[in-house]
Amino acid sequence: MIPGSGPGAGLGPGPEAGLGQGPEAGLGQGPEAEAGAGLRREVAEAAIVLARLGLVTAYGHVSARAGASMLITPAADLAFVTGSGVIEVPLMATALPRGAPAEGWAHLALYHARPDAAAIARAQPVSAFAAAATVSVMVPLHGQAAWLGESVPVYDDAALLRSPQQAERAASSLPAGEALLLRGNGALTLGAAPGLAVARMWLLAAACDVYLTALAASAANPVTPLSAGEVASWRAVGDELLPRLWQHLRRRAGVRPDPCAPGKEQG
């Protein structure tokens, strides 16, 4: 359970307000500070790519787990996010700090429910709206879709995830796998790094397109999903191949590697 999920929880100044508004907030000095600044840059870069790929409009966010906190993009147009604008929120927060997106609770809930989640992307691909209105679970029809999970569940509630309680209910729909469709409200994807969460969001949009196209083409005939063995074979190579997709998407979006982190590749 997210701390502070009682009736007093919600947006407000609280003791955590203002944390992480600058690149040095909460990070100290020395190597730890540089690592924190690097992660902020990764979050900002992933957010810019998400925006340039057209997976978000004025809404959406990217976050990363950072020890006992998360680093999350502000409630702003992701195309203009910078590392210094990324906000630090304690994982045990009872209120979201000023500037954080109101659906930051969804990120906190997933970090609590999924200790394996290192980064999260939140977006609204048009195909995700359509697919979530069509099915309750989306099965993979092509190999790369298996990198989203053995299947993609649909959280059947279109309300915004603006409270700990709503966020916890949504997070409980994703006990395994790396993607969750939110009926009428977009999607959430997980990754081992911010860029990989964004790569999965792009994959989810593509998988929804493929699924909807197959449904339309099949008429009354059922679509043919991947077998369990096929899914397993593709998931076995996901850690190897997904970072390559991220590099491709970053190049497509016109974002060059961070000169402050030579040789570093996400994932």
Side-chain angles (χ1 to χ4, degrees):
M1 176 179 292
I2 303 174
S5 57
L11 291 168
E16 303 83 14
L19 282 175
Q21 299 291 349
E24 72 288 340
L27 296 173
Q29 297 180 353
E32 183 178 348
E34 178 53 36
L39 185 55
R40 288 175 182 274
R41 289 193 296 267
E42 285 188 35
V43 169
E45 178 187 74
I48 290 169
V49 173
L50 192 67
R52 291 186 181 179
L53 292 174
L55 296 171
V56 294
T57 53
Y59 315 101
H61 12 95
V62 177
S63 72
R65 190 191 295 268
S69 299
M70 73 171 177
L71 300 176
I72 190 167
T73 51
D77 189 332
L78 294 188
F80 302 104
V81 171
T82 62
S84 62
V86 170
I87 297 170
E88 183 177 4
V89 182
L91 294 179
M92 303 299 287
T94 58
L96 296 176
R98 186 176 298 109
E103 284 197 317
W105 292 116
H107 295 247
L108 290 174
L110 280 167
Y111 287 129
H112 281 283
R114 294 288 300 273
D116 58 319
I120 298 169
R122 170 81 170 93
Q124 300 84 24
V126 173
S127 59
F129 290 126
T134 305
V135 298
S136 57
V137 175
M138 188 176 74
V139 294
L141 302 185
H142 68 292
Q144 292 179 27
W147 299 340
L148 302 170
E150 295 179 1
S151 63
V152 177
V154 176
Y155 177 60
D156 193 21
D157 186 339
L160 290 166
L161 306 178
R162 288 189 161 207
S163 75
Q165 296 88 350
Q166 289 170 315
E168 287 173 357
R169 287 195 292 271
S172 68
S173 299
L174 190 64
E178 295 81 29
L180 177 65
L181 287 167
L182 307 170
R183 182 177 60 79
N185 195 21
L188 290 153
T189 52
L190 313 182
L196 300 185
V198 167
R200 280 203 173 96
M201 186 61 73
W202 182 89
L203 262 182
L204 178 59
C208 289
D209 278 331
V210 169
Y211 196 91
L212 293 167
T213 300
L215 280 181
S218 68
N221 300 314
V223 297
T224 303
L226 298 186
S227 68
E230 290 168 335
V231 169
S233 70
W234 276 91
R235 286 186 65 77
V237 297
D239 289 346
E240 171 194 349
L241 298 181
L242 191 61
R244 193 188 308 174
L245 177 61
W246 163 240
Q247 298 306 324
H248 165 78
L249 295 173
R250 184 165 68 174
R251 177 190 60 77
R252 183 196 287 192
V255 175
R256 296 183 177 182
D258 184 356
C260 297
K264 179 176 175 61
E265 300 290 353
Q266 288 193 24

